Amino acid sequence: MSIRVSHVHGEHLAVQASNGTEILRYVYRPDPDAFEARKPYAHPLRTLAGRTVTGYRPNDHRWHKGLQMTASHLSGQNFWGGNCYVHGEGYLRLPDRVGSMRHDGFTEIAVTDERLDVTEELTWVENGGREWAREVRGLTVHSVDEEAGAWTLDWSIHLTNTHDKPLLFGSPTTAGREMAGYTGLQWRGPRDFTGGAVFTPDSEPGVGAEKMMGSQGPWLAFTTEHDETDAHSTLVFAHAPENLDESSAIHASHWFVRSEPIPTVAFSWAFFEEFALPPGESFGYRYRVVIADGAWDRDRVTRHLEGLPW
């Protein structure tokens, strides 16, 4: 199945499947509200049948925007957006602690009939205006498969500390709140994903998302039945092999996942423990998100991922 890519300069990149469905819009213009942590995001993401599978500025967390890179606790700054967790005081509105990720430009936008490869340069800027880190981000749309009813988005990050001090990455859990280790690449689902089913390669049938909070594994799937239409969608969140290799990954990854009261998944790189990135040093992760029509089960997810080599 072929794709078509359009670019509104200064605004967004969009990918359209050959059936006319816009399956991805990557927005890189600055957000108007600095409190929501200005940064690029992917929204909407849609299945090939046109089902929207990302939420945007929900009334419970206005700073949740589709699929976006975040860092909830970074050396005292909040690159997630919104309220900051302070141990013993809860969530506080501290706008002077909310940083941003500045889009500096694209160094590659390569398009074929079946694939889009994007390389983007960004700068992470703390609230006072000091540049703390440089990021090279990769986005790839591929494996748009009408027969399977699915397509794939790969998202990579390579981050370098340009500060003169170590950057300390943490989460609300490392700051004292139990089982709230959100940070890293985060997906927010639309409201009809609330109460959806979540499973991993090793989870028991019928086990809820709360049992998988803080767990580890190569992939996690989230499926739901949509409102208004008799249709299901499935998202699969997968790690590249090196993310889970203790000898190569900078820090162990864990799943931050909720089905209720809100639908969200994050590839958390600092769920239970902080880690430091020294000046001049870098880290990288690669992630994959499969967006599919239908209610996939464990066997179908496994077969599909096995056919998508890294």
Side-chain angles (χ1 to χ4, degrees):
M1 195 172 188
S2 61
I3 63 171
R4 179 180 179 182
V5 177
S6 60
H7 186 188
V8 178
H9 290 270
E11 295 271 340
H12 67 262
L13 291 167
V15 178
Q16 186 181 68
S18 57
N19 65 359
T21 300
E22 183 184 286
I23 56 175
L24 175 145
R25 180 169 293 200
Y26 183 71
V27 181
Y28 63 91
R29 68 174 180 268
D31 280 342
D33 190 346
F35 184 65
E36 295 175 11
R38 292 174 174 142
K39 55 186 175 298
Y41 58 88
H43 173 80
L45 297 181
R46 296 189 180 95
T47 70
L48 293 178
R51 317 296 179 195
T52 299
V53 296
T54 47
Y56 177 75
R57 299 193 73 245
N59 59 24
D60 48 77
H61 297 82
R62 293 298 190 195
W63 47 94
H64 287 188
K65 296 173 183 176
L67 183 68
Q68 59 181 344
M69 187 60 67
T70 72
S72 56
H73 288 240
L74 175 53
S75 295
Q77 289 277 298
N78 170 6
F79 289 82
W80 173 280
N83 296 329
C84 301
Y85 178 77
V86 179
H87 188 54
E89 300 181 62
Y91 285 95
L92 304 178
R93 186 180 179 89
L94 301 172
D96 61 338
R97 295 193 189 181
V98 180
S100 62
M101 300 177 190
R102 186 184 69 217
H103 166 83
D104 293 331
F106 295 112
T107 58
E108 178 189 35
I109 302 177
V111 183
T112 68
D113 286 344
E114 299 178 342
R115 185 181 180 98
L116 167 67
D117 288 286
V118 175
T119 303
E120 179 186 18
E121 294 186 343
L122 305 99
T123 301
W124 293 32
V125 185
E126 59 89 29
N127 189 269
R130 183 166 183 177
E131 298 179 357
W132 275 9
R134 297 286 173 84
E135 179 190 347
V136 178
R137 179 174 300 179
L139 303 172
T140 300
V141 174
H142 64 99
S143 304
V144 183
D145 188 335
E146 185 175 18
E147 183 176 352
W151 64 278
T152 300
L153 172 64
D154 290 349
W155 185 311
S156 67
I157 175 175
H158 186 269
L159 191 73
T160 302
N161 181 359
T162 59
H163 197 4
D164 57 5
K165 298 178 181 178
L167 291 176
L168 190 62
F169 291 80
S171 69
T173 293
T174 68
R177 185 186 175 200
E178 291 187 2
M179 303 306 285
Y182 53 83
T183 192
L185 184 62
Q186 183 245 357
W187 165 79
R188 173 62 193 257
R191 206 164 297 281
D192 50 0
F193 270 78
T194 305
V198 180
F199 58 93
T200 67
D202 303 317
S203 61
E204 295 294 329
V207 172
E210 68 277 3
K211 297 294 185 180
M212 284 168 269
M213 178 70 84
S215 66
Q216 294 178 286
W219 60 261
L220 178 145
F222 201 127
T223 184
T224 196
E225 183 175 11
H226 290 283
D227 293 333
E228 299 186 14
T229 60
D230 297 323
H232 291 77
S233 295
T234 300
L235 271 70
V236 183
F237 304 90
H239 282 282
E242 69 271 15
N243 292 3
L244 301 176
D245 184 348
E246 294 183 3
S247 65
S248 62
I250 185 172
H251 201 259
S253 294
H254 297 78
W255 296 114
F256 176 85
V257 53
R258 284 180 176 152
S259 178
E260 295 183 272
I262 65 172
T264 186
V265 174
F267 297 83
S268 178
W269 54 40
F271 196 114
F272 296 107
E273 297 177 343
E274 295 178 326
F275 71 88
L277 183 66
E281 294 198 13
S282 306
F283 72 79
Y285 289 98
R286 292 191 299 153
Y287 305 108
R288 174 164 288 170
V289 183
V290 176
I291 296 94
D293 286 297
W296 288 20
D297 59 17
R298 183 180 287 104
D299 289 343
R300 188 168 181 183
V301 170
T302 299
R303 289 196 306 270
H304 192 82
L305 290 178
E306 288 175 348
L308 296 174
W310 287 93

